[in-house]
Amino acid sequence: MSLCKACEEPLVIRIDEDEAGDAAADTVPDDLELPCGCHFHWQCLLDESAAISISLKCPSCDKYLPTNEAGPSTSNQFLHASSGVAILAQYTNEGGFQKDLDILPSITEEAYLESHPEARPARAMHIMCSEGDVVGIVELLRDASDEVGDMASFVRYQDPLSEMKSGLHVAVEKGQEEAVWLLLWLCSTIPTAAFPGPARQAAEAMGVGRLGVAADGDIRALRDSQGRTAEDTARQSGAWTALLDAGVFTP
């Protein structure tokens, strides 16, 4: 069996016996083969993300990894976001074999989060916005409140790895109305009395207070890297006619 080039351990990971349901099956495959032929555990490779995202080379053999002709960047470790660079790997894990898996987005994300650890909870909130997990968003905000000085800025976070979209952009794009109303409750200048009863009652039931933002802090005014507001995203989706007609997305 090949060994991981980073830790020199077999390319498996241990799992809990109860989870496996079989005391004998206490390991599962975790074999990531790069285009150069070097093998790593998934996490071992991610641990090298900062260097790989800049050099685009294998941390073991130093061979260039992307499948196209773009060169490495000495100044922009998030090169692939605009250039279409891809690193296609072959990955075997407990779910089976994945052929030509582009691992550069994961490497880029991990490199960014290593440099900006404060962005981890904000990006987690964006995932919850896309899933409509309003309870999770509220719990995350409560957990982050002790460490985050400006909660309005936290809620207004724009993701540089996703075209500078805000959580409101994401919730609108994914059609998550409950998440939309929660974000507007938290970080817009819409009068409290103007919120529909169910949205207001849901926020109050969860003990969520408004953040009292000024007009220049209204989440509806944020624009992504394409210059689009959440209102623009809503118009493009064609699924938000009632709220658009009511002017809900207009700051």
Side-chain angles (χ1 to χ4, degrees):
M1 176 184 290
S2 298
L3 301 180
C4 173
K5 288 291 187 177
C7 69
E8 298 185 347
E9 294 289 335
L11 292 160
V12 297
I13 55 173
R14 294 190 176 279
I15 59 174
D16 184 80
E17 289 183 8
D18 293 335
E19 180 182 332
D22 180 0
D26 60 350
T27 63
V28 293
D30 184 32
D31 183 355
L32 184 68
E33 181 182 359
L34 299 185
C36 58
C38 292
H39 293 253
F40 293 84
H41 294 113
W42 177 266
Q43 187 57 53
C44 287
L45 189 74
L46 286 188
D47 289 344
E48 303 290 337
S49 292
I52 298 172
S53 64
I54 295 174
S55 70
L56 302 180
K57 293 181 179 180
C58 172
S60 176
C61 70
D62 208 36
K63 189 168 292 186
Y64 184 65
L65 297 173
T67 57
N68 62 10
E69 298 301 318
S73 171
T74 57
S75 60
N76 180 11
Q77 67 189 71
F78 309 121
L79 172 67
H80 84 284
S82 60
S83 68
V85 179
I87 296 178
L88 302 182
Q90 317 308 315
Y91 186 40
T92 305
N93 64 1
E94 60 183 322
F97 175 68
Q98 298 179 66
K99 179 179 174 60
D100 293 338
L101 173 67
D102 184 7
I103 61 173
L104 189 52
S106 296
I107 289 171
T108 300
E109 177 180 8
E110 187 62 26
Y112 174 76
L113 293 175
E114 284 182 15
S115 300
H116 304 83
E118 72 283 356
R120 286 187 187 273
R123 296 195 83 240
M125 184 186 72
H126 279 209
I127 293 173
M128 294 174 188
C129 289
S130 73
E131 297 172 346
D133 184 2
V134 295
V135 173
I137 294 171
V138 172
E139 291 178 351
L140 185 150
L141 293 176
R142 287 175 180 155
D143 291 343
S145 61
D146 292 336
E147 299 178 5
V148 176
D150 185 350
M151 289 303 296
S153 293
F154 181 83
V155 174
R156 285 163 43 90
Y157 173 79
Q158 293 178 262
D159 188 356
L161 298 182
S162 184
E163 299 183 318
M164 296 302 292
K165 293 175 184 176
S166 68
L168 185 59
H169 284 93
V170 173
V172 168
E173 192 175 71
K174 297 298 183 179
Q176 302 293 353
E177 187 169 346
E178 289 186 0
V180 165
W181 282 118
L182 176 59
L183 294 172
L184 294 176
W185 175 267
L186 288 166
C187 214
S188 80
T189 57
I190 297 175
T192 298
F195 279 82
R200 188 168 61 249
Q201 292 162 12
E204 292 171 349
M206 291 185 288
V208 180
R210 305 200 67 186
L211 297 178
V213 298
D216 60 357
D218 195 316
I219 194 170
R220 297 174 295 174
L222 298 177
R223 295 182 179 273
D224 64 16
S225 60
Q226 304 299 316
R228 299 168 298 195
T229 63
E231 182 176 16
D232 296 326
T233 301
R235 292 192 185 283
Q236 291 172 1
S237 76
W240 297 92
T241 303
L243 297 191
L244 285 166
D245 289 346
V248 169
F249 293 114
T250 304

